[in-house]
C-alpha cells in the first residue's frame, strides 16, 4: 500500500524538501506505524540530527509530534495499524511570542 509522510520545520529542512510536500512510501498492506518508522529510518535516519531521530530505537524523539489517521501515532505505539493511502505529519512544536 502507499502511505504518505509530510515533514515540517527543522525536520523537513534536514530532508531538503519543501514544507509539507508529501513523500510516498510503499508499505505492506498490513503496515504499522513501526513499519513506517523503519522505512523512514532506513531512507532518512542519517539526515536527522540526534535530538530528532533515535537510531537505536528507530524512532523520533518524544518532542517530535507524529500525527496520522486522525490520532497521535507516537502515543498509539509502533504496532498501530496504518490506513491505506493515509498520511502522517511530523513536526517539532515551537514556542514563541
Amino acid at each position: 500500500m502507499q502511505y504518505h509522510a509530510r515533514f515540517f520545520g527543522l525536520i523537513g529542512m534536514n530532508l531538503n524538501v519543501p514544507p509539507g510536500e508529501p513523500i510516498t512510501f510503499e508499505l505492506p498492506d498490513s503496515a504499522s506505524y513501526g513499519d513506517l518508522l523503519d522505512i523512514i529510518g532506513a531512507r532518512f535516519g542519517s539526515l536527522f540530527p540526534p535530538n530528532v531521530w533515535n537510531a537505536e530505537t528507530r524512532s523520533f524523539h518524544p518532542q517530535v509530534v507524529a500525527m496520522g489517521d486522525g490520532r497521535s501515532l507516537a502515543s498509539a505505539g509502533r504496532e498501530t495499524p496504518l490506513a491505506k493511502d493515509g498520511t502522517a505529519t511530523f513536526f517539532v512544536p515551537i514556542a514563541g511570542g
Side-chain angles (χ1 to χ4, degrees), residues 68-95:
D69 304 330
R71 64 180 174 244
S72 168
L73 292 171
S75 296
R78 290 183 66 89
E79 299 305 316
T80 303
L82 299 176
K84 185 177 181 181
D85 204 36
T87 301
T89 302
F90 299 91
F91 64 95
V92 177
I94 302 173

